[in-house]
Amino acid sequence: KAVVSTQSTGVQEEQVEKAFNILTRDPAVKAIFVNIFGGIVDCKVIASGIISACQKTSLELPLVVRLKGSNMDAARDLLASSGLKIQAIDQLNDAAEAVVKCVM
């Protein structure tokens, strides 16, 4: 396993943390790719969950995030101002390429 992609349409902050805990326990996971796409998804909630999960798990894996949905600009700003090493990329192909580069 080199890349993990999660997609959902109704994710809450706690679910992001649970997913990160599962992923960081698996030594085969070399990077995390969060890909959220949907009109009803509040990307700011996802971004908050990602930041919290990174902090609580002391994430050291490369993390690439693509968020498309409501509040995606605010979410991108939140990720950028977090001080964490998170690659927030808008285009799916660019995000996929970035996560592959992380594990090569």
Side-chain angles (χ1 to χ4, degrees), residues 31-83:
I32 299 175
F33 178 23
V34 178
N35 179 38
I36 302 295
F37 180 81
I40 63 170
V41 175
D42 185 344
C43 292
K44 194 171 178 185
V45 171
I46 301 298
S48 293
I50 290 168
I51 291 167
S52 178
C54 286
Q55 293 168 336
K56 289 181 180 178
T57 62
S58 300
L59 186 69
E60 294 183 15
L61 294 171
L63 175 60
V64 177
V65 177
R66 175 184 178 252
L67 300 173
K68 291 287 185 184
S70 64
N71 292 324
M72 65 186 201
D73 292 332
R76 194 177 314 112
D77 292 344
L78 194 59
L79 292 172
S81 66
S82 71

